[in-house]
Amino acid sequence: MRLTIAVPQAHIDIANHYAMALGYSEADGLTYRNPSWQDAQGNLYAVASLPIGVNFVGAATSPLVRPEWDGEEVIDMTKASQAQALVTLWAAADETDAPQSKPDQITAILGLSGQEAISAMGLTPVPQDEELP
Amino acid sequence: MADELNIPTHRWYQKRNHIALAKEDFSRQYIYDSGIQKIDAWINSQPWGNPIPYLFANDEQGAWYDPSDLTTLFQDTAGTTPVTAAGQTVARMDDKSGNGNHATQPTAAARPTYQTDGTYRWLSFDGVDDTMGTSAFIQTGGGFYAAHGFNVLSEGGNAAAGDSFGSLRNVDRESVGWRSSGTYQYGSRLRVSGGVSYITSFTITGGTGSFGNNYVGDGWHDGLTLNARLSNGQSSSLAAEEIATGTPRVLTLVNDSNYMFFGGIFRDGPPPPSDTRDQVQQYLADKTGVTL
């Protein structure tokens, strides 16, 4: 099962703390990087897509607990909880339309390929400055 | 195997093993019935059958990745938990060149997955954020050579980051091998921009590939020309300028194309001769399921 998450640019920092809280190392603090996707209004988003196990969604929607690996308390659990509160989760099996990405919402889609999920969220790639001959 | 030396192949790695058979020779059909892929696999397992180790025989800098070799794939960057089944994420792919330029991805969400159809094996990059990279080792001052087997299923979202195998990333960008971007038509590319005194910027067009098809692509710079070739027969070359040297750059495997990676090599310095490039192309074609 694949989960794809779009994070508004303004929330990338707290979303990375959330990712670390659910992850395995400090490297998961780089889950959301370049906001290279945009909605119809031009708002920017960073997107991550990953295969998940059966327990992931349950852990992601339950009260967060500092993982064992974070003995040095790298994770700001307050930020992680703030990000968790912004999540809107939609599954492909739901009989509703997929949620559109919004600047005040972290949008997560379960069960579609990464690119299908991005399209369902209403996101498109940000045009790059680099010219191609 | 008593009849080893009598096995004819479509390969030319070692001509003494190529024994032409008459068209009506019954053993020709026997060989095909036995499975040419099994024969290929056997050939590749022989010291004389695999051309890639020779590319690094004199301590040439570079990397060789072979996702068909499960002993090189790991679910953690430390290399302690092996990949054992399709669908598992790959945090580390060991470099088989002997240079230790292992490709890793420490961020869990950005790792590709290992996949197989029972015959071929590859890494699947999701077209969103999956990528792997090495530590900085590439100088490219004396040229380079890159080759890889791949299938671009669809282009990723970040067009400028749509480089496939051989993308060297730092502040500047150099891409070799195959590049997918928009029209999916760039065969090999070097581009250095910003803050470098000897700016070199040139691009060659390698023809048009099709999304969803397997290819072997290779590119090389010999000091005079920048060249690209695709296994569908398209190729091109361009008079080249000096390649940037100085700060070593990393080797990046894919950025955001939805992409299957069947294996590849990158070698720093002067490219190998054409017959060796052909041999490597054939080797990768066998790994990719491509008929040259």
Side-chain angles (χ1 to χ4, degrees):
Chain A
M1 187 73 77
R2 178 164 286 273
L3 182 68
T4 303
I5 311 109
V7 175
Q9 183 177 27
H11 299 307
I12 287 176
D13 179 50
I14 62 172
N16 276 325
H17 284 275
Y18 185 32
M20 283 192 286
L22 298 170
Y24 306 99
S25 73
E26 192 172 349
D28 292 322
L30 296 174
T31 296
Y32 307 101
R33 288 186 259 198
N34 298 327
S36 55
W37 305 84
Q38 63 183 1
D39 61 21
Q41 289 72 44
N43 300 302
L44 299 177
Y45 300 82
V47 180
S49 183
L50 68 159
I52 59 170
V54 292
N55 297 323
F56 186 88
V57 171
T61 54
S62 301
L64 297 174
V65 178
R66 185 179 300 280
E68 289 185 10
W69 64 261
D70 190 27
E72 298 181 3
E73 299 192 359
V74 172
I75 303 171
D76 184 328
M77 296 302 291
T78 301
K79 288 183 176 180
S81 295
Q82 289 171 347
Q84 185 186 38
L86 294 178
V87 172
T88 293
L89 175 66
W90 181 86
D94 292 351
E95 295 181 354
T96 58
D97 292 335
Q100 298 299 287
S101 293
K102 297 189 295 187
D104 60 351
Q105 167 184 293
I106 294 175
T107 309
I109 286 187
L110 187 64
L112 297 180
S113 75
Q115 294 185 341
E116 288 172 340
I118 289 169
S119 177
M121 294 177 193
L123 299 179
T124 57
V126 176
Q128 300 297 308
D129 294 334
E130 182 188 22
E131 80 288 354
L132 293 172
Chain B
M1 294 174 63
D3 60 348
E4 283 181 359
L5 295 181
N6 291 323
I7 292 178
T9 81
H10 61 293
R11 314 284 285 275
W12 53 88
Y13 297 168
Q14 195 78 347
K15 288 184 170 55
R16 65 183 168 80
N17 287 295
H18 186 115
I19 302 172
L21 292 178
K23 185 175 290 186
E24 63 275 13
D25 192 312
F26 74 92
S27 60
R28 176 186 291 270
Q29 188 60 47
Y30 175 79
I31 289 166
Y32 274 87
D33 290 345
S34 300
I36 194 70
Q37 288 163 358
K38 292 179 181 176
I39 296 171
D40 279 344
W42 177 79
I43 292 171
N44 286 339
S45 71
Q46 305 307 305
W48 47 264
N50 185 338
I52 295 183
Y54 294 105
L55 298 175
F56 302 100
N58 296 308
D59 297 327
E60 290 88 347
Q61 184 57 274
W64 168 23
Y65 303 112
D66 178 11
S68 73
D69 181 355
L70 275 181
T71 66
T72 67
L73 304 181
F74 300 92
Q75 298 183 64
D76 61 330
T77 56
T80 56
T81 305
V83 169
T84 57
Q88 293 177 339
T89 56
V90 179
R92 168 169 161 159
M93 179 166 51
D94 276 356
D95 168 21
K96 296 175 70 172
S97 77
N99 284 298
N101 294 316
H102 310 310
T104 60
Q105 176 49 269
T107 301
R111 293 170 181 164
T113 57
Y114 165 75
Q115 301 290 351
T116 180
D117 62 2
T119 301
Y120 301 103
R121 299 174 175 187
W122 64 91
L123 298 192
S124 177
F125 293 77
D126 67 7
V128 177
D129 58 344
D130 289 355
T131 183
M132 300 186 84
T134 68
S135 55
F137 73 90
I138 296 172
Q139 296 280 0
T140 68
F144 66 83
Y145 168 62
H148 68 304
F150 67 96
N151 184 334
V152 180
L153 299 170
S154 61
E155 187 182 26
N158 188 349
D163 304 331
S164 58
F165 178 74
S167 170
L168 288 66
R169 288 186 157 267
N170 201 312
V171 176
D172 306 321
R173 171 175 303 153
E174 302 177 21
S175 306
V176 295
W178 184 260
R179 184 170 197 272
S180 162
S181 181
T183 55
Y184 185 35
Q185 64 180 3
Y186 296 98
S188 181
R189 187 177 201 226
L190 287 183
R191 182 175 187 270
V192 180
S193 62
V196 181
S197 58
Y198 39 84
I199 290 175
T200 304
S201 178
F202 42 80
T203 301
I204 65 173
T205 300
T208 303
S210 300
F211 292 123
N213 287 342
N214 293 4
Y215 294 110
V216 174
D218 54 1
W220 62 95
H221 185 294
D222 59 9
L224 297 174
T225 56
L226 177 64
N227 308 274
R229 183 173 59 165
L230 196 62
S231 53
N232 64 3
Q234 296 175 332
S235 64
S236 64
S237 63
L238 184 74
E241 302 171 37
E242 180 184 6
I243 305 175
T245 57
T247 305
R249 291 177 171 78
V250 303
L251 178 65
T252 302
L253 286 164
V254 183
N255 272 284
D256 67 351
S257 291
N258 189 359
Y259 178 89
M260 301 160 69
F261 177 77
F262 294 88
I265 65 105
F266 181 94
R267 196 181 79 168
D268 219 348
S274 61
D275 59 342
T276 302
R277 294 197 300 268
D278 288 345
Q279 291 169 7
V280 173
Q281 185 188 44
Q282 181 63 63
Y283 170 83
L284 289 171
D286 293 341
K287 294 285 186 182
T288 310
V290 167
T291 301
L292 298 177

